[in-house]
Amino acid sequence: MTRFTALTAVIFMSLVPLTATAGPPAAGGPDIPPVFESGSPSGIAILEDGGYFYGYNMDGLTVTGEGALPSLPAGYSLVAGAKIGWPDLDGNGISDVVIQHSGGYQYAYLMQDSGTFVDVLDEGAIPALPPEYTVLGWPDLDGDGDTDLVIQHSGGYTYAYLMNGLNVQSEGQVPGLPTATYSTIGFSNLDGLMGDDIVIQEDGGYTYAYLMNGTSVADEGPVPGLPTATYSTIGFPNLDDANGGDIVIQEDGGYTYAYLMNGLSIADEGQVPGLPTTTYSTVRWAESWAVLP
């Protein structure tokens, strides 16, 4: 692996402005796993082409429980996975199953730990997806432990439903995309307060965050972006276990840099482990419902 000298680090830091203006948003998304057992770090879900859905609880390499999950009828798709995460609409620590009809109708199954696997605690319709809208993700914008539903119009207009199980507690417009050159790249809880926040990025790399309190903006401002077109934002892990999510960027050649965030401010920054050769890639972090289109 290439070793970077202190001089190299200083040069790099001088090249990374807080509001850098080059480079496209990251490609791909984080692999956010489902959870089908209380206290379990991760489960595995498999979906058959015909709609049959099955899951496993994992303990290392050992399957500790397994069973069928709600199947998907013809014309429905699963609203979960790598780019948008898994919902937990009732905040019980178990991933729920949301399905969406091609016409936009959405139906949710609230899952609970049955002791050996999961079963359906409750089910019902949740807000439908209007034409030209997509589901951006399942962040917890109000910090109540229940994930919320955020949708976005193709033109950038963004709307949130603050959920309590199957019920909408509150709803309203949230910050979206100012122009077609922006995309929403994540819902990192940058300040560690009130719930997840919204991070958007311009094609040139300029990055901006809205610190959310439900559907209201508590604060906003630029956050570290991309110094050149060879960099991408690769995730929002909480590297220091303090204040909330941090920001990590990576150069095409593998050099990786982290900003330890405290809201919109940088508490610390520096190089973190990257990639030794171009045959490696960083597995995306699952924290904070990163979208990373």
Side-chain angles (χ1 to χ4, degrees):
M1 176 181 291
T2 302
R3 293 187 179 272
F4 288 85
T5 65
L7 176 60
T8 304
V10 169
I11 293 172
F12 175 79
M13 290 167 64
S14 70
L15 291 174
V16 184
L18 302 190
T19 56
T21 55
D31 184 10
I32 299 175
V35 175
F36 298 130
E37 182 179 31
S38 298
S40 172
S42 182
I44 296 174
I46 57 175
L47 181 61
E48 195 266 336
D49 289 345
Y52 182 69
F53 198 26
Y54 200 83
Y56 303 89
N57 293 329
M58 302 302 297
D59 181 5
L61 302 176
T62 303
V63 176
T64 60
E66 63 181 276
L69 298 165
S71 295
L72 279 63
Y76 281 81
S77 58
L78 181 67
V79 192
K83 287 191 176 183
I84 62 173
W86 285 78
D88 180 9
L89 296 170
D90 53 1
N92 66 353
I94 304 298
S95 298
D96 300 319
V97 176
V98 176
I99 61 176
Q100 182 187 111
H101 188 264
S102 56
Y105 177 78
Q106 297 192 118
Y107 197 83
Y109 299 90
L110 305 184
M111 308 301 293
Q112 64 180 350
D113 188 343
S114 67
T116 55
F117 190 55
V118 290
D119 58 17
V120 177
L121 172 67
D122 199 3
E123 63 181 271
I126 62 172
L129 201 63
E132 296 188 60
Y133 278 80
T134 56
V135 173
L136 271 187
W138 304 100
D140 178 10
L141 292 177
D142 53 3
D144 65 351
D146 304 340
T147 59
D148 304 313
L149 169 62
V150 178
I151 64 176
Q152 189 171 82
H153 186 265
S154 56
Y157 181 82
T158 307
Y159 201 82
Y161 299 92
L162 306 185
M163 304 298 296
N164 180 9
L166 301 173
N167 302 310
V168 177
Q169 287 194 121
S170 181
E171 63 181 273
Q173 181 184 0
V174 294
L177 309 178
T179 70
T181 62
Y182 279 82
S183 60
T184 302
I185 64 167
F187 297 104
S188 177
N189 188 352
L190 292 174
D191 54 3
L193 302 171
M194 299 176 291
D196 292 328
D197 305 314
I198 298 175
V199 184
I200 65 174
Q201 190 170 83
E202 204 267 334
D203 288 349
Y206 180 81
T207 307
Y208 200 84
Y210 300 91
L211 306 185
M212 304 299 296
N213 183 6
T215 56
S216 301
V217 178
D219 200 1
E220 63 180 274
V223 293
L226 311 177
T228 72
T230 63
Y231 280 83
S232 60
T233 302
I234 63 169
F236 303 100
N238 188 350
L239 293 175
D240 54 0
D241 196 28
N243 304 324
D246 304 312
I247 298 176
V248 181
I249 65 174
Q250 188 170 81
E251 199 266 337
D252 289 348
Y255 183 78
T256 308
Y257 201 80
Y259 300 90
L260 306 185
M261 302 300 295
N262 183 5
L264 302 173
S265 303
I266 298 172
D268 201 1
E269 62 182 275
Q271 181 187 356
V272 293
L275 311 177
T277 71
T278 56
T279 62
Y280 285 80
S281 60
T282 301
V283 178
R284 307 272 173 160
W285 291 279
E287 287 86 343
S288 301
W289 306 109
V291 177
L292 300 177

